[in-house]
Amino acid sequence: MKQYIDTGKKDTRSGFGAGLLEAGRADERVLALTADLKGSLKMDAFAAEFPERFIQCGIAEANMVGVAAGLAVTGKIPFIGSFAEFVTGRVYDQVRQEVAYGHTNVKIASSHAGITLGEDGATHQTMEDIALMRALPEMVVINPCDYNETKAATIAAAKYDGPVYLRFGRPSVPNFTPADKPFVIGKADVMNEGNDVTIFACGHLVWEAIKAAEILEAKGVSAEVINLATIKPLDEKAVIASAGKTRAVVVAEEHNMAGGLGEAVAGVLAANAPTPIVFVNGGDRFGQSGSPAELMTAYGLDAAHVAEAAEKAISKK
């Protein structure tokens, strides 16, 4: 089994900031807009280097979406940035009508997603955003796993022609993917090959899945770990092929049970290759205050719970 090394904990939102700056240097059409959250979204470097391409919209997220859609119609490539809760739930009508329905080339950058936002609590944590964005026709949904992948995904989003929802987080987490690896939208990444069970994961749960595979290996269980950073469009061929090989599946995500990666994978398997499946997610509940590590454990989203789910999936064969 391949060993992954944490090269130093970094927050994925900083990966977005680095990717945005590089995308801006590569293409003068790239713009950045934010709703009074330039620092939180790590847009500072972009704003400093390209002040004429940075727009501070203030705490007016709905207006920001409309401005971005208008700029996209003129040929620009706007990235709008805010907290995941605000840039999905608060402005869903605008995103639906002006971005998705209009198929405008707007990139929605959402930080502070999931329960790992931590102490800010349920009102700011969102565990429903993937479901909201997946439901919109032609909306690409990406949830990268670490700093490097978030940077690469941001660059890929800038090159993609169409609406993209890019989800990342606040806390510093392990950075373990190659720094020079390009991100391919819609392509699954096999982190480790295995024969007994497949663990599909996205976002912060990819590292937990890798650690779970190590726990399982010590017990003689061979786990295949696949990073499904692109939740939509899903790499259906990779999902079907791996499930067909291991005949037992776990889907792990920092999102509620409804509408997330788990349901996306389950839908593919139900239609093509019915397979025993166990879900690791936030269930049907809101978040709460606590440190990211405390909440990951409390909601059953850590490596130990992923390994336990894998053994349960195997028992269903």
Side-chain angles (χ1 to χ4, degrees):
M1 185 173 73
K2 183 178 179 180
Q3 298 297 312
Y4 287 88
I5 299 173
D6 175 8
T7 60
K9 290 181 171 55
K10 292 184 177 183
D11 50 304
T12 50
R13 58 181 171 151
S14 288
F16 164 70
L20 178 65
L21 180 60
E22 189 166 323
R25 288 170 175 170
D27 192 331
E28 64 181 11
R29 295 175 300 165
V30 172
L31 309 177
L33 297 80
T34 187
D36 203 31
L37 289 169
K38 179 177 70 172
S40 293
L41 270 289
K42 302 299 182 180
M43 290 178 165
D44 308 75
F46 183 96
E49 187 162 331
F50 306 111
E52 74 285 358
R53 288 196 263 152
F54 175 75
I55 302 174
Q56 177 57 267
C57 296
I59 306 175
E61 292 86 355
N63 182 58
M64 177 175 66
V65 175
V67 171
L71 289 167
V73 169
T74 70
K76 304 301 183 182
I77 306 173
F79 279 78
I80 61 173
S82 185
F83 290 174
E85 164 59 24
F86 302 154
V87 83
T88 59
R90 179 175 289 179
V91 295
Y92 194 72
D93 180 55
Q94 284 75 25
V95 170
R96 180 186 187 274
Q97 307 291 59
E98 298 169 18
V99 177
Y101 179 64
H103 195 73
T104 54
N105 196 24
V106 175
K107 318 304 173 183
I108 303 169
S110 69
S111 184
H112 295 55
I115 58 169
T116 49
L117 170 54
E119 290 82 356
D120 284 5
T123 57
H124 283 53
Q125 297 162 352
T126 177
M127 296 281 274
E128 316 90 42
D129 56 311
I130 292 175
L132 290 171
M133 294 297 106
R134 272 189 67 225
L136 293 173
E138 299 187 37
M139 178 69 73
V140 170
V141 179
I142 303 173
N143 187 189
C145 65
D146 67 359
Y147 171 96
N148 287 339
E149 189 173 51
T150 306
K151 178 181 177 181
T154 303
I155 294 168
K159 297 176 181 178
Y160 176 83
D161 184 17
V164 175
Y165 179 66
L166 185 63
R167 182 191 208 240
F168 41 91
R170 176 187 185 183
S172 295
V173 294
N175 188 41
F176 56 95
T177 62
D180 57 351
K181 186 174 182 178
F183 187 88
V184 180
I185 293 175
K187 180 69 174 176
D189 188 4
V190 179
M191 311 297 289
N192 272 314
E193 294 188 1
N195 299 304
D196 297 325
V197 63
T198 302
I199 305 174
F200 295 112
C202 64
H204 296 150
L205 268 293
V206 174
W207 178 256
E208 301 301 326
I210 290 170
K211 295 289 105 179
E214 294 176 359
I215 294 172
L216 293 166
E217 184 182 39
K219 298 181 178 182
V221 177
S222 172
E224 183 148 289
V225 177
I226 298 182
N227 175 10
L228 292 176
T230 305
I231 298 168
K232 183 185 177 184
L234 194 67
D235 190 341
E236 296 187 3
K237 289 184 178 179
V239 170
I240 294 167
S242 184
K245 178 173 67 170
T246 65
R247 297 178 294 110
V249 164
V250 171
V251 185
E253 59 184 321
E254 188 186 347
H255 188 270
N256 277 353
M257 62 186 291
L261 178 63
E263 287 196 355
V265 170
V268 170
L269 295 181
N272 298 278
T275 309
I277 184 169
V278 176
F279 303 100
V280 175
N281 53 47
D284 185 28
R285 51 181 170 163
F286 288 105
Q288 57 185 310
S289 296
S291 72
E294 289 172 338
L295 292 172
M296 289 284 279
T297 299
Y299 281 69
L301 302 179
D302 55 12
H305 285 92
V306 176
E308 182 180 323
E311 292 181 306
K312 183 177 181 181
I314 292 171
S315 73
K316 292 186 175 184
K317 287 188 182 183

